[in-house]
PDB file of all heavy atoms in Angstrom:
ATOM      1  N   GLU U 153      32.846  -2.459  13.228  1.00 98.00           N
ATOM      2  CA  GLU U 153      34.064  -2.996  12.630  1.00 98.00           C
ATOM      3  C   GLU U 153      34.759  -3.962  13.586  1.00 98.00           C
ATOM      4  O   GLU U 153      34.654  -3.811  14.800  1.00 98.00           O
ATOM      5  CB  GLU U 153      35.048  -1.864  12.289  1.00 98.00           C
ATOM      6  CG  GLU U 153      34.524  -0.901  11.254  1.00 98.00           C
ATOM      7  CD  GLU U 153      35.519   0.201  10.926  1.00 98.00           C
ATOM      8  OE1 GLU U 153      36.367   0.514  11.774  1.00 98.00           O
ATOM      9  OE2 GLU U 153      35.431   0.746   9.815  1.00 98.00           O
ATOM     10  N   LYS U 154      35.448  -4.924  12.985  1.00 98.00           N
ATOM     11  CA  LYS U 154      36.330  -5.794  13.744  1.00 98.00           C
ATOM     12  C   LYS U 154      37.489  -6.177  12.849  1.00 98.00           C
ATOM     13  O   LYS U 154      37.278  -6.546  11.689  1.00 98.00           O
ATOM     14  CB  LYS U 154      35.605  -7.040  14.246  1.00 98.00           C
ATOM     15  CG  LYS U 154      36.481  -7.901  15.175  1.00 98.00           C
ATOM     16  CD  LYS U 154      35.728  -9.068  15.780  1.00 98.00           C
ATOM     17  CE  LYS U 154      36.623  -9.778  16.798  1.00 98.00           C
ATOM     18  NZ  LYS U 154      35.982 -10.963  17.415  1.00 98.00           N
ATOM     19  N   GLY U 155      38.681  -6.110  13.385  1.00 97.00           N
ATOM     20  CA  GLY U 155      39.863  -6.315  12.561  1.00 97.00           C
ATOM     21  C   GLY U 155      40.077  -7.753  12.122  1.00 97.00           C
ATOM     22  O   GLY U 155      40.621  -7.990  11.041  1.00 97.00           O
ATOM     23  N   SER U 156      39.633  -8.708  12.931  1.00 96.00           N
ATOM     24  CA  SER U 156      39.907 -10.111  12.634  1.00 96.00           C
ATOM     25  C   SER U 156      38.786 -10.957  13.223  1.00 96.00           C
ATOM     26  O   SER U 156      38.758 -11.204  14.433  1.00 96.00           O
ATOM     27  CB  SER U 156      41.258 -10.507  13.231  1.00 96.00           C
ATOM     28  OG  SER U 156      41.514 -11.879  13.027  1.00 96.00           O
ATOM     29  N   VAL U 157      37.859 -11.383  12.370  1.00 98.00           N
ATOM     30  CA  VAL U 157      36.699 -12.111  12.886  1.00 98.00           C
ATOM     31  C   VAL U 157      37.036 -13.580  13.144  1.00 98.00           C
ATOM     32  O   VAL U 157      37.951 -14.148  12.539  1.00 98.00           O
ATOM     33  CB  VAL U 157      35.500 -12.009  11.918  1.00 98.00           C
ATOM     34  CG1 VAL U 157      34.998 -10.580  11.849  1.00 98.00           C
ATOM     35  CG2 VAL U 157      35.846 -12.545  10.529  1.00 98.00           C
ATOM     36  N   GLN U 158      36.278 -14.162  14.039  1.00 97.00           N
ATOM     37  CA  GLN U 158      36.414 -15.568  14.382  1.00 97.00           C
ATOM     38  C   GLN U 158      35.113 -16.297  14.054  1.00 97.00           C
ATOM     39  O   GLN U 158      34.048 -15.658  13.941  1.00 97.00           O
ATOM     40  CB  GLN U 158      36.721 -15.722  15.877  1.00 97.00           C
ATOM     41  CG  GLN U 158      37.930 -14.926  16.347  1.00 97.00           C
ATOM     42  CD  GLN U 158      39.186 -15.360  15.616  1.00 97.00           C
ATOM     43  OE1 GLN U 158      39.481 -16.545  15.513  1.00 97.00           O
ATOM     44  NE2 GLN U 158      39.935 -14.391  15.098  1.00 97.00           N
ATOM     45  N   VAL U 159      35.201 -17.608  13.954  1.00 97.00           N
ATOM     46  CA  VAL U 159      33.995 -18.400  13.685  1.00 97.00           C
ATOM     47  C   VAL U 159      32.924 -18.120  14.736  1.00 97.00           C
ATOM     48  O   VAL U 159      31.727 -18.048  14.422  1.00 97.00           O
ATOM     49  CB  VAL U 159      34.335 -19.898  13.622  1.00 97.00           C
ATOM     50  CG1 VAL U 159      33.073 -20.737  13.539  1.00 97.00           C
ATOM     51  CG2 VAL U 159      35.249 -20.191  12.430  1.00 97.00           C
ATOM     52  N   SER U 160      33.362 -17.930  15.969  1.00 96.00           N
ATOM     53  CA  SER U 160      32.426 -17.688  17.064  1.00 96.00           C
ATOM     54  C   SER U 160      31.701 -16.347  16.970  1.00 96.00           C
ATOM     55  O   SER U 160      30.752 -16.096  17.729  1.00 96.00           O
ATOM     56  CB  SER U 160      33.156 -17.768  18.406  1.00 96.00           C
ATOM     57  OG  SER U 160      34.226 -16.841  18.439  1.00 96.00           O
ATOM     58  N   ASP U 161      32.115 -15.492  16.051  1.00 97.00           N
ATOM     59  CA  ASP U 161      31.411 -14.213  15.828  1.00 97.00           C
ATOM     60  C   ASP U 161      30.188 -14.376  14.941  1.00 97.00           C
ATOM     61  O   ASP U 161      29.432 -13.407  14.752  1.00 97.00           O
ATOM     62  CB  ASP U 161      32.358 -13.186  15.201  1.00 97.00           C
ATOM     63  CG  ASP U 161      33.485 -12.780  16.125  1.00 97.00           C
ATOM     64  OD1 ASP U 161      33.258 -12.724  17.355  1.00 97.00           O
ATOM     65  OD2 ASP U 161      34.602 -12.526  15.612  1.00 97.00           O
ATOM     66  N   SER U 162      29.988 -15.539  14.392  1.00 97.00           N
ATOM     67  CA  SER U 162      28.828 -15.777  13.540  1.00 97.00           C
ATOM     68  C   SER U 162      27.547 -15.544  14.338  1.00 97.00           C
ATOM     69  O   SER U 162      27.319 -16.188  15.371  1.00 97.00           O
ATOM     70  CB  SER U 162      28.856 -17.207  12.997  1.00 97.00           C
ATOM     71  OG  SER U 162      29.975 -17.419  12.182  1.00 97.00           O
ATOM     72  N   ALA U 163      26.734 -14.624  13.871  1.00 96.00           N
ATOM     73  CA  ALA U 163      25.543 -14.207  14.613  1.00 96.00           C
ATOM     74  C   ALA U 163      24.796 -13.198  13.748  1.00 96.00           C
ATOM     75  O   ALA U 163      25.227 -12.870  12.641  1.00 96.00           O
ATOM     76  CB  ALA U 163      25.938 -13.563  15.940  1.00 96.00           C
ATOM     77  N   VAL U 164      23.692 -12.694  14.298  1.00 94.00           N
ATOM     78  CA  VAL U 164      22.984 -11.582  13.656  1.00 94.00           C
ATOM     79  C   VAL U 164      23.270 -10.326  14.470  1.00 94.00           C
ATOM     80  O   VAL U 164      23.148 -10.341  15.702  1.00 94.00           O
ATOM     81  CB  VAL U 164      21.469 -11.836  13.573  1.00 94.00           C
ATOM     82  CG1 VAL U 164      20.772 -10.667  12.880  1.00 94.00           C
ATOM     83  CG2 VAL U 164      21.192 -13.130  12.825  1.00 94.00           C
ATOM     84  N   TYR U 165      23.648  -9.268  13.793  1.00 96.00           N
ATOM     85  CA  TYR U 165      24.012  -8.022  14.444  1.00 96.00           C
ATOM     86  C   TYR U 165      22.950  -6.967  14.138  1.00 96.00           C
ATOM     87  O   TYR U 165      22.591  -6.752  12.978  1.00 96.00           O
ATOM     88  CB  TYR U 165      25.392  -7.561  13.972  1.00 96.00           C
ATOM     89  CG  TYR U 165      26.476  -8.487  14.456  1.00 96.00           C
ATOM     90  CD1 TYR U 165      26.752  -9.673  13.778  1.00 96.00           C
ATOM     91  CD2 TYR U 165      27.203  -8.204  15.610  1.00 96.00           C
ATOM     92  CE1 TYR U 165      27.720 -10.548  14.244  1.00 96.00           C
ATOM     93  CE2 TYR U 165      28.172  -9.075  16.076  1.00 96.00           C
ATOM     94  CZ  TYR U 165      28.428 -10.253  15.392  1.00 96.00           C
ATOM     95  OH  TYR U 165      29.384 -11.124  15.857  1.00 96.00           O
ATOM     96  N   PHE U 166      22.466  -6.315  15.194  1.00 95.00           N
ATOM     97  CA  PHE U 166      21.429  -5.301  15.057  1.00 95.00           C
ATOM     98  C   PHE U 166      21.969  -3.953  15.514  1.00 95.00           C
ATOM     99  O   PHE U 166      22.469  -3.823  16.637  1.00 95.00           O
ATOM    100  CB  PHE U 166      20.208  -5.635  15.924  1.00 95.00           C
ATOM    101  CG  PHE U 166      19.421  -6.821  15.457  1.00 95.00           C
ATOM    102  CD1 PHE U 166      19.701  -8.087  15.943  1.00 95.00           C
ATOM    103  CD2 PHE U 166      18.387  -6.674  14.549  1.00 95.00           C
ATOM    104  CE1 PHE U 166      18.964  -9.183  15.524  1.00 95.00           C
ATOM    105  CE2 PHE U 166      17.646  -7.765  14.118  1.00 95.00           C
ATOM    106  CZ  PHE U 166      17.949  -9.023  14.615  1.00 95.00           C
ATOM    107  N   CYS U 167      21.826  -2.968  14.660  1.00 95.00           N
ATOM    108  CA  CYS U 167      22.090  -1.588  15.036  1.00 95.00           C
ATOM    109  C   CYS U 167      20.791  -1.010  15.611  1.00 95.00           C
ATOM    110  O   CYS U 167      19.693  -1.343  15.136  1.00 95.00           O
ATOM    111  CB  CYS U 167      22.535  -0.808  13.802  1.00 95.00           C
ATOM    112  SG  CYS U 167      23.028   0.881  14.108  1.00 95.00           S
ATOM    113  N   ALA U 168      20.899  -0.183  16.621  1.00 93.00           N
ATOM    114  CA  ALA U 168      19.692   0.386  17.231  1.00 93.00           C
ATOM    115  C   ALA U 168      19.980   1.789  17.725  1.00 93.00           C
ATOM    116  O   ALA U 168      21.110   2.115  18.095  1.00 93.00           O
ATOM    117  CB  ALA U 168      19.195  -0.487  18.388  1.00 93.00           C
ATOM    118  N   GLY U 169      18.942   2.604  17.736  1.00 90.00           N
ATOM    119  CA  GLY U 169      19.037   3.962  18.246  1.00 90.00           C
ATOM    120  C   GLY U 169      17.989   4.201  19.305  1.00 90.00           C
ATOM    121  O   GLY U 169      16.847   3.749  19.169  1.00 90.00           O
ATOM    122  N   GLY U 170      18.411   4.853  20.374  1.00 83.00           N
ATOM    123  CA  GLY U 170      17.440   5.271  21.373  1.00 83.00           C
ATOM    124  C   GLY U 170      16.993   6.668  21.042  1.00 83.00           C
ATOM    125  O   GLY U 170      17.605   7.361  20.247  1.00 83.00           O
ATOM    126  N   ASP U 171      15.905   7.068  21.647  1.00 67.00           N
ATOM    127  CA  ASP U 171      15.476   8.444  21.462  1.00 67.00           C
ATOM    128  C   ASP U 171      14.898   8.972  22.762  1.00 67.00           C
ATOM    129  O   ASP U 171      15.027   8.347  23.797  1.00 67.00           O
ATOM    130  CB  ASP U 171      14.492   8.563  20.291  1.00 67.00           C
ATOM    131  CG  ASP U 171      13.204   7.791  20.525  1.00 67.00           C
ATOM    132  OD1 ASP U 171      12.935   7.406  21.684  1.00 67.00           O
ATOM    133  OD2 ASP U 171      12.474   7.566  19.544  1.00 67.00           O
ATOM    134  N   SER U 172      14.315  10.149  22.676  1.00 63.00           N
ATOM    135  CA  SER U 172      13.846  10.782  23.895  1.00 63.00           C
ATOM    136  C   SER U 172      12.564  10.152  24.425  1.00 63.00           C
ATOM    137  O   SER U 172      12.131  10.477  25.512  1.00 63.00           O
ATOM    138  CB  SER U 172      13.609  12.274  23.642  1.00 63.00           C
ATOM    139  OG  SER U 172      12.689  12.443  22.586  1.00 63.00           O
ATOM    140  N   SER U 173      11.994   9.262  23.635  1.00 67.00           N
ATOM    141  CA  SER U 173      10.845   8.510  24.149  1.00 67.00           C
ATOM    142  C   SER U 173      11.373   7.259  24.821  1.00 67.00           C
ATOM    143  O   SER U 173      12.511   7.193  25.231  1.00 67.00           O
ATOM    144  CB  SER U 173       9.868   8.184  23.029  1.00 67.00           C
ATOM    145  OG  SER U 173      10.393   7.208  22.168  1.00 67.00           O
ATOM    146  N   TYR U 174      10.569   6.279  24.904  1.00 68.00           N
ATOM    147  CA  TYR U 174      10.916   5.147  25.745  1.00 68.00           C
ATOM    148  C   TYR U 174      11.326   3.907  24.969  1.00 68.00           C
ATOM    149  O   TYR U 174      11.373   2.830  25.525  1.00 68.00           O
ATOM    150  CB  TYR U 174       9.725   4.802  26.644  1.00 68.00           C
ATOM    151  CG  TYR U 174       9.389   5.894  27.608  1.00 68.00           C
ATOM    152  CD1 TYR U 174       8.391   6.812  27.327  1.00 68.00           C
ATOM    153  CD2 TYR U 174      10.094   6.018  28.799  1.00 68.00           C
ATOM    154  CE1 TYR U 174       8.089   7.812  28.213  1.00 68.00           C
ATOM    155  CE2 TYR U 174       9.793   7.026  29.689  1.00 68.00           C
ATOM    156  CZ  TYR U 174       8.792   7.917  29.399  1.00 68.00           C
ATOM    157  OH  TYR U 174       8.495   8.908  30.282  1.00 68.00           O
ATOM    158  N   LYS U 175      11.657   4.048  23.706  1.00 83.00           N
ATOM    159  CA  LYS U 175      11.917   2.825  22.962  1.00 83.00           C
ATOM    160  C   LYS U 175      13.224   2.873  22.190  1.00 83.00           C
ATOM    161  O   LYS U 175      13.813   3.924  22.009  1.00 83.00           O
ATOM    162  CB  LYS U 175      10.778   2.576  21.976  1.00 83.00           C
ATOM    163  CG  LYS U 175      10.627   3.638  20.903  1.00 83.00           C
ATOM    164  CD  LYS U 175       9.451   3.309  20.009  1.00 83.00           C
ATOM    165  CE  LYS U 175       9.300   4.317  18.894  1.00 83.00           C
ATOM    166  NZ  LYS U 175       8.763   5.588  19.391  1.00 83.00           N
ATOM    167  N   LEU U 176      13.655   1.689  21.749  1.00 88.00           N
ATOM    168  CA  LEU U 176      14.768   1.552  20.822  1.00 88.00           C
ATOM    169  C   LEU U 176      14.208   1.294  19.425  1.00 88.00           C
ATOM    170  O   LEU U 176      13.228   0.573  19.268  1.00 88.00           O
ATOM    171  CB  LEU U 176      15.662   0.377  21.219  1.00 88.00           C
ATOM    172  CG  LEU U 176      16.510   0.545  22.482  1.00 88.00           C
ATOM    173  CD1 LEU U 176      17.147  -0.787  22.847  1.00 88.00           C
ATOM    174  CD2 LEU U 176      17.557   1.607  22.286  1.00 88.00           C
ATOM    175  N   ILE U 177      14.856   1.893  18.442  1.00 90.00           N
ATOM    176  CA  ILE U 177      14.524   1.624  17.043  1.00 90.00           C
ATOM    177  C   ILE U 177      15.623   0.739  16.492  1.00 90.00           C
ATOM    178  O   ILE U 177      16.803   1.119  16.526  1.00 90.00           O
ATOM    179  CB  ILE U 177      14.452   2.923  16.226  1.00 90.00           C
ATOM    180  CG1 ILE U 177      13.546   3.956  16.891  1.00 90.00           C
ATOM    181  CG2 ILE U 177      14.013   2.628  14.795  1.00 90.00           C
ATOM    182  CD1 ILE U 177      12.119   3.552  16.951  1.00 90.00           C
ATOM    183  N   PHE U 178      15.243  -0.431  15.992  1.00 92.00           N
ATOM    184  CA  PHE U 178      16.218  -1.390  15.502  1.00 92.00           C
ATOM    185  C   PHE U 178      16.312  -1.344  13.988  1.00 92.00           C
ATOM    186  O   PHE U 178      15.316  -1.116  13.290  1.00 92.00           O
ATOM    187  CB  PHE U 178      15.836  -2.809  15.921  1.00 92.00           C
ATOM    188  CG  PHE U 178      16.136  -3.126  17.352  1.00 92.00           C
ATOM    189  CD1 PHE U 178      15.237  -2.805  18.350  1.00 92.00           C
ATOM    190  CD2 PHE U 178      17.328  -3.750  17.702  1.00 92.00           C
ATOM    191  CE1 PHE U 178      15.507  -3.093  19.678  1.00 92.00           C
ATOM    192  CE2 PHE U 178      17.614  -4.047  19.029  1.00 92.00           C
ATOM    193  CZ  PHE U 178      16.704  -3.709  20.015  1.00 92.00           C
ATOM    194  N   GLY U 179      17.510  -1.616  13.501  1.00 92.00           N
ATOM    195  CA  GLY U 179      17.683  -1.913  12.091  1.00 92.00           C
ATOM    196  C   GLY U 179      17.218  -3.327  11.805  1.00 92.00           C
ATOM    197  O   GLY U 179      16.807  -4.064  12.709  1.00 92.00           O
ATOM    198  N   SER U 180      17.288  -3.704  10.562  1.00 91.00           N
ATOM    199  CA  SER U 180      16.728  -4.996  10.142  1.00 91.00           C
ATOM    200  C   SER U 180      17.636  -6.172  10.460  1.00 91.00           C
ATOM    201  O   SER U 180      17.228  -7.317  10.295  1.00 91.00           O
ATOM    202  CB  SER U 180      16.434  -4.970   8.647  1.00 91.00           C
ATOM    203  OG  SER U 180      17.599  -4.613   7.937  1.00 91.00           O
TER     204      SER U 180
END
Side-chain angles (χ1 to χ4, degrees):
Chain U
E153 297 180 335
K154 186 175 186 182
S156 177
V157 293
Q158 306 300 311
V159 172
S160 57
D161 294 326
S162 297
V164 181
Y165 292 82
F166 290 92
C167 185
D171 63 15
S172 57
S173 71
Y174 296 97
K175 63 181 182 286
L176 289 171
I177 309 295
F178 283 85
S180 55

